[in-house]
Amino acid sequence: MSGGGGKVRYGMVGGGEGAFIGAVHRSAALLDGVLELVCGAFSGEAERSRRSALALGIDADRAYPDFETMFRAEATLPQERRMEFVAIVTPNHLHLPIALAALRHGFHVLSDKPATATLDECIALRDAVRASGLLYGLTHPYAAYPMIEEARARVAAGELGSIRKVLVEYHQGWLAQPIERSGQKQAEWRTDPERAGRGGCIGDIGVHAFQLAEHVTGLRVTRLCAALYRVVDGRALDDDASVLLQFDNGARGLLSASQIAVGEENALTLRVYGDKAGLAWRQEEPNTLWIKHADRPAERLRTGGAYLGERAQAAARVPAGHPEGYIEAFANLYRDFAAQVRAFAGSTPPCPVRNAVPGIDAALRGMAFIDAAIGASASDAKWHDFPRLE
Amino acid sequence: MSGGGGKVRYGMVGGGEGAFIGAVHRSAALLDGVLELVCGAFSGEAERSRRSALALGIDADRAYPDFETMFRAEATLPQERRMEFVAIVTPNHLHLPIALAALRHGFHVLSDKPATATLDECIALRDAVRASGLLYGLTHPYAAYPMIEEARARVAAGELGSIRKVLVEYHQGWLAQPIERSGQKQAEWRTDPERAGRGGCIGDIGVHAFQLAEHVTGLRVTRLCAALYRVVDGRALDDDASVLLQFDNGARGLLSASQIAVGEENALTLRVYGDKAGLAWRQEEPNTLWIKHADRPAERLRTGGAYLGERAQAAARVPAGHPEGYIEAFANLYRDFAAQVRAFAGSTPPCPVRNAVPGIDAALRGMAFIDAAIGASASDAKWHDFPRLE
Amino acid sequence: MSGGGGKVRYGMVGGGEGAFIGAVHRSAALLDGVLELVCGAFSGEAERSRRSALALGIDADRAYPDFETMFRAEATLPQERRMEFVAIVTPNHLHLPIALAALRHGFHVLSDKPATATLDECIALRDAVRASGLLYGLTHPYAAYPMIEEARARVAAGELGSIRKVLVEYHQGWLAQPIERSGQKQAEWRTDPERAGRGGCIGDIGVHAFQLAEHVTGLRVTRLCAALYRVVDGRALDDDASVLLQFDNGARGLLSASQIAVGEENALTLRVYGDKAGLAWRQEEPNTLWIKHADRPAERLRTGGAYLGERAQAAARVPAGHPEGYIEAFANLYRDFAAQVRAFAGSTPPCPVRNAVPGIDAALRGMAFIDAAIGASASDAKWHDFPRLE
Amino acid sequence: MSGGGGKVRYGMVGGGEGAFIGAVHRSAALLDGVLELVCGAFSGEAERSRRSALALGIDADRAYPDFETMFRAEATLPQERRMEFVAIVTPNHLHLPIALAALRHGFHVLSDKPATATLDECIALRDAVRASGLLYGLTHPYAAYPMIEEARARVAAGELGSIRKVLVEYHQGWLAQPIERSGQKQAEWRTDPERAGRGGCIGDIGVHAFQLAEHVTGLRVTRLCAALYRVVDGRALDDDASVLLQFDNGARGLLSASQIAVGEENALTLRVYGDKAGLAWRQEEPNTLWIKHADRPAERLRTGGAYLGERAQAAARVPAGHPEGYIEAFANLYRDFAAQVRAFAGSTPPCPVRNAVPGIDAALRGMAFIDAAIGASASDAKWHDFPRLE
């Protein structure tokens, strides 16, 4: 399964003790046995960073106090030992400096979203990626579910006809109370403009919804109308957002994101309607995809079904009826990025594999969306053009 | 069950052969055995009107060629024989003249929605109702489901805390193709401004969604931002609508209505989030109401449950697990309006009964919503005040 | 709608104040406006019977003190006034004497299930029905749901292939505690062998499950293995039952019925598997029918769908997405029985209409099932032949 | 996370190219980064075995041609290098000889289910395990889902009251046609008594259902009545089974297992009813557990909920709303077995950890169930005692 010759080696910045998403990245990277975590700078505090590295079984001399030290040191190692890419899982404000430093030292980058703290930063990053010729990937795990692969394939094949309406929602309830004031670490940095960037809810989860909508439909947003709210008193960033969308083919859309939808867990849903058929998908029950027809019964497609397309098949690991979850979706990103890294290194032919990993262009569109939504929300005018990015 | 002395007598205008909603009204009126259809002007064509009346078992001399004749004739009948109210089930443009004529002749009015074709008409109607001192009811059947009664009661009791976010959707797919051009009668008049009024989708179903949102939350919309679309080429009226809402307590909302959501049947859903808990309800599975909590499992409330409030109990007819449907909800409106008529006539004491029937004020708000949404959609400005009505 | 000349007239025995199922029968009979309740003996107590009649708007001289008096008196009325059939909604032990008396006086019979208290009684009833030449119908409402019509049609058309496995469940929780000892009327008679007959749960709800399984598959049970339990201490009749089934084509089945499944409402479900496809249906969400395929996505069929067969279409009253419930299903039985009565009277041609009303043969099979299950449960042998009935 | 000092090392027998369950075991073992696959005899064909080992990145000198060679060679390696336990993922008939050989050479055993091909073999295995003093685990992954942990905890805490009724189903459709005759490898050995043992469906999946029922309720089956069928012509083993159960506390149960339920994927469900409350769980949507109450709304518990018990919390890896699936459940078994191995080795204190891994006693009960069901099915008598094991 791991192909010719050893595992793909990666290092990690962030994700030390107590972090959430770092652990998910590492599990995802483990699942298929094709990746190896060889080094890390897991925390801004050197001691904590080292403790985390030890707990993860990393050699003591590759438990680095900070990312600059790590990149410098790794770059001096023999090619067959040194890390091949870095996974960035820090708060948002650090994404840019880490990514730039990694590229500078010749390492590919796989970054948690959003790509940077601001759109300008992301343009700088885009330019750096292009200049480097290296690989850049952004972890939007929801796009890597098997049934999202299927949804995308069906839309691309014209099964829905011309797309007319796109409804995407991402609702959570965990920030319904000001828990950032009572020491919840995740809430602290995600509600803090210094660390999260300009977007609160819109940047934390709205951007996932935006990416999913463009990814599945293949359409591009051209105009938007936004209303971002700070529902919980005293918050500096939005915690709820409604955005009306217009797409490049004339389709209309509605994006609703909220972190104050009390009682909701991680309710990301997508509905797309064309002139022939519609589809519906819910992240909390990710192995089911509905295709809704005008004149015959709705069909319930399931992960593992023999009737699915090639890409959806490749994205699944167990037979139908054995549920695949969030970690498996995330693992698809790591597996695909590892394949990219191998092909880049020439150790495998540049295979035309399924590739669920969004790249720098998707990253830039995500940042542009956050930026545009914030700008549109502050304006009295209804419609605003989506920024042109080249 | 029918209380003191005979059934409440009503006449009908519209709803002849081939009509949809007229038959629903009549079934609803039959269900509890407290109402009797005694006369009608079922069609603009006298012959068709008479045929319909005969098929319905109405005495030949009370099968009227038109509503004016009917009201005049009925008004001359002895009090114990003549109709007590008229049910109006015609296309929208006829609602006003019929209602005014009925009031003029001293008959109460129970009208299908929307109340009139335009807001100005509705203001005129409101004035006429007030001047007459007679009863006016509008048939929003979705508000009469038992679990909507429960939802409303729970919100009123503060169980959700302060309301923050309201999501209401009404999605259908039956107008995804221009079936009005191939002779579908329902589609013909509902897409024709002459008969439907200024609103297409927004007036046909959007107004139900609006009414449900205000009805359950007890809040009032104060501002809105709207985007109405004519998706199917050549349509004169909107067939898809997205509306952002602001409520009088500061809560925000999102209303999505569509008749081009191919594959959808009658997908009216309501979600409300407060600072303590949330609720969710789907019309297509109307006997379930979800209460979602911040810190304990979501609860699934069911029609007929012994734990429900008084009004939800009264709105149900059979034990839990025996599904109640659309006709039963509609029948609640007729039963309640009949009780109003009886109390008005003094044949029963003015009972403080549960009353699910929206009156002229709700009717006016509905028309104002349609009007405001159309105006806001045409404007480049984002937010628009909801009209002051008085 | 009511066809030529007036409504079909019926009388009722049982169903007075406080009864459950009588009210359901009456609502069902009202729904389509083709039936009229003209007389009744609603209670064993004459005074209560009269009170009920008055409340129902029945003429005082047709509020009878008992069923014998009613049949005698009605038989003397002019043909165009007298009742045409009797609806029997008493506890089970009275079904036989009432039905026999009705037939004797020339009245058709529509009876609640089970047909009688014992199998022997039912054989006597069958003979009497045959001798009379009159109509007999049994109210199994679950068989009259639109999607059950569709299920039956699909099986009959061979869409599932040869049937192999049938799973039918009917689970309720309302008898999980001995509420019959604290005055709950429904529980009192249903747990009392004097009034309910030999079967408890098996006779009250198990027989519905049995009827549904045979009705939809068109198969006949030939052998069974049964285990009936009295879970709640002190009960004289079973309150929980598991029955293994063998069908005449070799298919196997499993029937589970329980009234002590705490937390369940009215959970009647049917699953059928053939060698080509399977189906699944749940009474609590009756407007959905699943067809499950071997090699393509499962299909979700819905009441009102344009793709449904003729009979399912005819069994629905409102468009797709407007839920139809238990009363509507029950109303299908009344509407169909009324059509039978009319055709019998010659007032309409003997139409080849859809007919969801089980007749005396199905009634007899139901009683044979109850009898056989009780016998088999008491035996140490595993398999028992289903009684031959003729 | 990996505790003190390196990963737990294991070898694998079976699971070479093209096998299904071997790959699942390996992914599960990878997920938490605490285990390392160090050697294997992946196939009866030496060449295929070596190819598989290479593809898995195993050192060439630890790719063994057969299990005997492997155990002998590994036993000679230094303690800190040699495998600590063997994972057995072969067809059933090989489970016993491999397990015995492993124990003989001093290796712990983690075996796929069923434990052996026959009950007698399992008794022999039990005796060998006891004599060895070594660890034995059986991989029933369904018992390791977080919500099954919760279900078990709630039953144990008395929340359901005294258990009365247990319904467990395991339905698949993949053997609805005789695919074993057209070269499907999985179907070939699972329908072949030489390799599968005496049980077909009952041994392949029925035993999972049995284990789940006993595991969650804490009850033990004491008597059963069984009907096993060979539905597809020409099959030597059962492919469908219905079993009535009696438990040691007097509760009754129903177990239905089928591999010819066409259209079903992996439909394992459990419902338990006590005298206070009931519960329901479906493997295909494993992150939801229903608690159904007599007198208040049903509750929907979710993986990751803060209200869950300690063991359910420990069994989950990501926050609520991020679905966990089959591989994660399987990984819980590996993680727990690794913890047992470590504690056994003394490298960690004998921690009172949550332990979802069924041991040799559960394995023996499973084999006794298969044996008893086959015997009971062949008998004309209804009830049969569950074998006494000791």
Side-chain angles (χ1 to χ4, degrees), chain A residues 115-362:
Chain A
T116 54
T118 67
L119 177 57
D120 283 346
E121 282 188 12
C122 201
I123 291 170
L125 177 59
R126 192 259 323 264
D127 294 344
V129 168
R130 288 191 181 167
S132 72
L134 294 166
L135 299 170
Y136 178 88
L138 194 71
T139 52
H140 279 300
Y142 305 114
Y145 274 111
M147 299 319 283
I148 289 297
E149 291 284 359
E150 186 68 14
R152 193 186 190 192
R154 300 248 172 172
V155 171
E159 203 167 306
L160 275 63
S162 175
I163 302 305
R164 291 169 159 183
K165 190 175 176 79
V166 179
L167 295 160
V168 64
E169 292 180 355
Y170 199 153
H171 293 158
Q172 302 178 328
W174 70 293
L175 290 178
Q177 301 302 326
I179 55 171
E180 65 270 27
R181 284 179 233 155
S182 43
Q184 217 272 15
K185 295 287 169 203
Q186 292 293 321
E188 270 179 23
W189 78 256
R190 286 174 205 263
T191 58
D192 173 7
E194 296 297 315
R195 288 176 280 175
R198 292 183 67 203
C201 172
I202 198 78
D204 194 27
I205 60 175
V207 72
H208 277 306
F210 168 81
Q211 192 269 343
L212 193 68
E214 289 204 339
H215 178 76
V216 168
T217 62
L219 302 176
R220 294 294 168 258
V221 170
T222 53
R223 299 179 82 202
L224 49 75
C225 163
L228 275 51
Y229 307 114
R230 287 172 287 181
V231 174
V232 171
D233 278 346
R235 257 184 204 150
L237 296 176
D238 65 283
D239 50 19
D240 183 273
S242 296
V243 187
L244 306 183
L245 306 169
Q246 296 183 12
F247 292 91
D248 50 1
N249 78 333
R252 310 302 172 111
L254 206 46
L255 183 154
S256 173
S258 183
Q259 296 184 306
I260 57 90
V262 62
E264 298 299 346
E265 297 173 346
N266 200 39
L268 172 64
T269 68
L270 177 69
R271 287 170 288 175
V272 180
Y273 299 97
D275 58 9
K276 286 200 214 154
L279 66 78
W281 178 81
R282 292 179 52 223
Q283 192 273 148
E284 294 187 351
E285 200 185 329
N287 298 300
T288 295
L289 173 69
W290 288 94
I291 305 287
K292 300 185 176 185
H293 301 282
D295 48 7
R296 55 192 174 95
E299 293 178 287
R300 184 172 177 263
L301 285 63
R302 297 270 297 157
T303 301
Y307 44 78
L308 298 179
E310 190 181 3
R311 287 157 91 95
Q313 301 271 8
R317 285 169 180 78
V318 273
H322 299 75
E324 310 217 13
Y326 175 75
I327 292 177
E328 287 88 331
F330 222 114
N332 287 342
L333 295 179
Y334 266 85
R335 188 169 63 179
D336 287 357
F337 197 70
Q340 285 186 36
V341 168
R342 274 209 180 117
F344 185 96
S347 67
T348 59
C351 54
V353 292
R354 181 190 70 79
N355 194 334
V357 195
I360 189 64
D361 291 332

Side-chain angles (χ1 to χ4, degrees), chain B residues 15 20 81 103 114 125 128 145 150 152 156 163 169 180 184 200 212 282 304 315 330 369 375 389:
Chain B
F20 150 54
R81 279 200 66 213
L103 294 168
L125 177 59
Y145 274 110
E150 185 69 12
R152 193 187 190 192
I163 302 305
E169 293 180 353
E180 65 271 27
Q184 216 272 15
L212 194 67
R282 291 179 52 223
F330 222 115
F369 168 73
L389 307 163

Side-chain angles (χ1 to χ4, degrees), chain B residues 97-173:
Chain B
I98 299 167
L100 292 178
L103 294 168
R104 217 159 39 227
H105 287 92
F107 299 112
H108 307 298
V109 171
L110 184 63
S111 173
D112 211 81
K113 47 54 46 196
T116 56
T118 67
L119 177 56
D120 283 347
E121 282 188 12
C122 201
I123 291 169
L125 177 59
R126 192 258 324 262
D127 294 343
V129 169
R130 289 192 180 166
S132 73
L134 294 166
L135 300 170
Y136 178 88
L138 194 72
T139 53
H140 279 300
Y142 304 114
Y145 274 110
M147 298 319 282
I148 290 297
E149 291 284 358
E150 185 69 12
R152 193 187 190 192
R154 299 247 172 174
V155 172
E159 204 167 306
L160 274 65
S162 175
I163 302 305
R164 290 169 159 183
K165 190 175 176 80
V166 180
L167 295 160
V168 63
E169 293 180 353
Y170 199 153
H171 294 157
Q172 301 179 328

Side-chain angles (χ1 to χ4, degrees), chain C residues 17 42 45-57 63:
Chain C
E17 294 165 352
F42 296 100
E45 303 166 45
E47 177 51 28
R48 208 167 142 215
S49 184
R50 206 181 52 227
R51 265 206 319 273
S52 297
L54 286 180
L56 292 164

Side-chain angles (χ1 to χ4, degrees), chain D residues 46-262:
Chain D
E47 177 52 28
R48 211 170 141 213
S49 185
R50 206 180 54 225
R51 265 205 320 273
S52 297
L54 286 179
L56 292 165
I58 287 172
D59 292 346
D61 59 342
R62 295 175 86 176
Y64 300 101
D66 57 70
F67 66 86
E68 275 292 357
T69 308
M70 174 162 112
F71 297 148
R72 245 190 338 257
E74 288 288 317
T76 66
L77 294 179
Q79 190 137 10
E80 70 280 6
R81 279 199 68 212
R82 74 167 171 246
M83 77 173 196
E84 297 172 84
F85 73 89
V86 64
I88 306 178
V89 295
T90 63
N92 305 345
H93 68 302
L94 297 174
H95 290 183
L96 181 68
I98 299 167
L100 291 179
L103 295 169
R104 217 157 40 225
H105 287 91
F107 298 112
H108 308 297
V109 171
L110 184 63
S111 173
D112 211 81
K113 48 57 40 200
T116 55
T118 67
L119 178 56
D120 282 347
E121 283 188 11
C122 201
I123 291 170
L125 177 59
R126 192 259 322 262
D127 294 345
V129 169
R130 287 191 182 167
S132 73
L134 294 166
L135 298 170
Y136 178 88
L138 194 71
T139 53
H140 279 300
Y142 305 115
Y145 274 111
M147 299 319 282
I148 289 297
E149 291 284 359
E150 185 68 13
R152 193 186 190 192
R154 299 249 171 172
V155 171
E159 204 168 304
L160 275 63
S162 175
I163 301 306
R164 290 168 159 183
K165 190 174 176 81
V166 179
L167 296 160
V168 63
E169 294 181 353
Y170 199 153
H171 294 158
Q172 300 178 329
W174 70 293
L175 291 178
Q177 299 302 326
I179 56 171
E180 64 271 28
R181 284 178 232 156
S182 43
Q184 216 273 15
K185 295 289 169 201
Q186 291 293 321
E188 269 178 23
W189 77 257
R190 286 174 205 261
T191 59
D192 174 6
E194 297 296 315
R195 288 176 281 175
R198 294 181 66 201
C201 172
I202 198 79
D204 195 27
I205 60 174
V207 71
H208 277 307
F210 167 81
Q211 191 270 340
L212 194 68
E214 289 204 339
H215 178 75
V216 168
T217 62
L219 301 177
R220 294 294 167 258
V221 169
T222 53
R223 300 178 81 202
L224 50 74
C225 163
L228 275 51
Y229 307 114
R230 287 172 288 181
V231 173
V232 171
D233 279 346
R235 264 193 195 142
L237 295 176
D238 64 282
D239 51 18
D240 184 274
S242 296
V243 188
L244 307 184
L245 305 169
Q246 296 183 12
F247 291 91
D248 51 1
N249 77 332
R252 310 302 173 112
L254 206 46
L255 182 154
S256 173
S258 183
Q259 295 183 309
I260 57 90
V262 61

Side-chain angles (χ1 to χ4, degrees), chain C residues 13-299:
Chain C
V13 180
E17 294 165 352
F20 150 54
I21 202 67
V24 171
H25 278 249
R26 289 189 300 263
S27 288
L30 281 169
L31 192 60
D32 295 301
V34 296
L35 287 132
E36 188 177 6
L37 177 61
V38 295
C39 62
F42 296 100
S43 168
E45 303 166 45
E47 177 51 28
R48 208 167 142 215
S49 184
R50 206 181 52 227
R51 265 206 319 273
S52 297
L54 286 180
L56 292 164
I58 287 172
D59 293 346
D61 60 341
R62 295 175 86 175
Y64 300 102
D66 57 71
F67 67 83
E68 274 292 355
T69 308
M70 174 162 112
F71 296 149
R72 246 192 335 260
E74 288 288 316
T76 66
L77 294 179
Q79 190 136 12
E80 71 280 5
R81 279 200 67 214
R82 73 166 171 247
M83 77 172 197
E84 297 171 86
F85 74 88
V86 64
I88 305 178
V89 294
T90 63
N92 305 345
H93 68 301
L94 297 173
H95 289 182
L96 181 69
I98 298 167
L100 291 178
L103 294 168
R104 217 157 40 224
H105 286 91
F107 298 113
H108 306 298
V109 171
L110 184 63
S111 173
D112 211 81
K113 49 53 45 196
T116 54
T118 68
L119 177 56
D120 283 347
E121 283 188 12
C122 200
I123 292 170
L125 177 58
R126 192 257 324 262
D127 295 344
V129 169
R130 288 192 181 166
S132 73
L134 293 167
L135 299 171
Y136 178 89
L138 194 71
T139 52
H140 279 300
Y142 305 113
Y145 274 110
M147 298 319 281
I148 289 297
E149 291 284 359
E150 186 68 13
R152 192 186 190 193
R154 300 249 171 171
V155 171
E159 203 168 305
L160 275 63
S162 175
I163 302 305
R164 291 167 159 185
K165 189 174 176 81
V166 180
L167 295 161
V168 64
E169 293 180 354
Y170 199 153
H171 294 158
Q172 300 179 328
W174 69 294
L175 291 178
Q177 300 302 326
I179 56 171
E180 64 271 27
R181 286 178 231 156
S182 43
Q184 215 272 16
K185 296 289 169 202
Q186 291 292 322
E188 269 179 22
W189 79 257
R190 286 173 205 261
T191 57
D192 174 6
E194 297 297 315
R195 288 176 281 175
R198 293 182 67 202
C201 172
I202 197 78
D204 195 26
I205 61 174
V207 71
H208 276 307
F210 168 81
Q211 192 270 340
L212 193 68
E214 289 204 338
H215 178 76
V216 168
T217 62
L219 302 176
R220 294 293 168 258
V221 169
T222 54
R223 298 178 82 202
L224 50 75
C225 162
L228 275 51
Y229 307 114
R230 286 171 288 182
V231 174
V232 171
D233 279 345
R235 261 190 198 145
L237 295 176
D238 64 282
D239 50 19
D240 184 273
S242 295
V243 187
L244 307 183
L245 305 170
Q246 296 183 11
F247 291 91
D248 51 1
N249 77 332
R252 310 302 172 112
L254 206 47
L255 183 153
S256 172
S258 182
Q259 296 183 308
I260 57 89
V262 60
E264 299 298 346
E265 297 173 347
N266 200 39
L268 172 63
T269 68
L270 177 68
R271 287 171 288 175
V272 180
Y273 299 98
D275 56 10
K276 286 201 217 154
L279 67 77
W281 178 82
R282 293 179 51 224
Q283 192 274 148
E284 293 186 352
E285 202 184 328
N287 298 301
T288 295
L289 173 69
W290 288 93
I291 305 286
K292 299 185 176 185
H293 301 283
D295 48 7
R296 55 192 174 95
E299 292 177 289

Side-chain angles (χ1 to χ4, degrees), chain B residues 128-386:
Chain B
V129 169
R130 289 192 180 166
S132 73
L134 294 166
L135 300 170
Y136 178 88
L138 194 72
T139 53
H140 279 300
Y142 304 114
Y145 274 110
M147 298 319 282
I148 290 297
E149 291 284 358
E150 185 69 12
R152 193 187 190 192
R154 299 247 172 174
V155 172
E159 204 167 306
L160 274 65
S162 175
I163 302 305
R164 290 169 159 183
K165 190 175 176 80
V166 180
L167 295 160
V168 63
E169 293 180 353
Y170 199 153
H171 294 157
Q172 301 179 328
W174 70 292
L175 291 177
Q177 300 301 328
I179 55 172
E180 65 271 27
R181 285 177 232 156
S182 44
Q184 216 272 15
K185 295 288 168 201
Q186 291 292 322
E188 270 179 22
W189 78 257
R190 286 174 205 261
T191 58
D192 174 5
E194 296 297 316
R195 287 175 281 175
R198 294 181 66 201
C201 171
I202 198 78
D204 195 26
I205 61 174
V207 71
H208 277 305
F210 168 81
Q211 191 270 339
L212 194 67
E214 289 204 339
H215 177 75
V216 167
T217 62
L219 302 176
R220 295 293 168 258
V221 169
T222 53
R223 300 177 82 203
L224 50 75
C225 162
L228 275 52
Y229 308 114
R230 285 171 288 181
V231 174
V232 171
D233 278 346
R235 259 186 202 150
L237 295 176
D238 65 283
D239 49 19
D240 183 274
S242 296
V243 187
L244 307 183
L245 306 170
Q246 295 183 12
F247 291 91
D248 50 1
N249 77 331
R252 310 303 172 112
L254 206 45
L255 183 153
S256 173
S258 183
Q259 295 184 308
I260 58 90
V262 61
E264 299 299 345
E265 298 173 346
N266 201 39
L268 172 63
T269 67
L270 177 68
R271 288 170 287 175
V272 180
Y273 298 97
D275 57 10
K276 286 202 216 153
L279 66 79
W281 178 82
R282 291 179 52 223
Q283 191 273 149
E284 294 187 351
E285 202 184 329
N287 298 299
T288 295
L289 173 69
W290 289 92
I291 305 286
K292 300 185 176 186
H293 301 282
D295 49 7
R296 56 192 175 94
E299 293 177 288
R300 184 171 176 263
L301 284 64
R302 296 270 298 156
T303 301
Y307 45 78
L308 298 178
E310 192 182 3
R311 288 157 91 96
Q313 300 272 8
R317 286 170 179 78
V318 274
H322 298 74
E324 310 215 15
Y326 175 74
I327 292 177
E328 287 88 331
F330 222 115
N332 287 341
L333 294 179
Y334 266 85
R335 189 170 61 180
D336 288 356
F337 197 70
Q340 287 186 35
V341 168
R342 274 209 181 117
F344 185 96
S347 69
T348 58
C351 52
V353 291
R354 181 188 70 80
N355 194 334
V357 195
I360 189 65
D361 291 332
L364 191 59
R365 285 194 66 79
M367 289 310 303
F369 168 73
I370 296 168
D371 205 63
I374 293 168
S377 181
S379 161
D380 288 337
K382 190 172 0 179
W383 291 107
H384 297 262
D385 287 341
F386 196 87

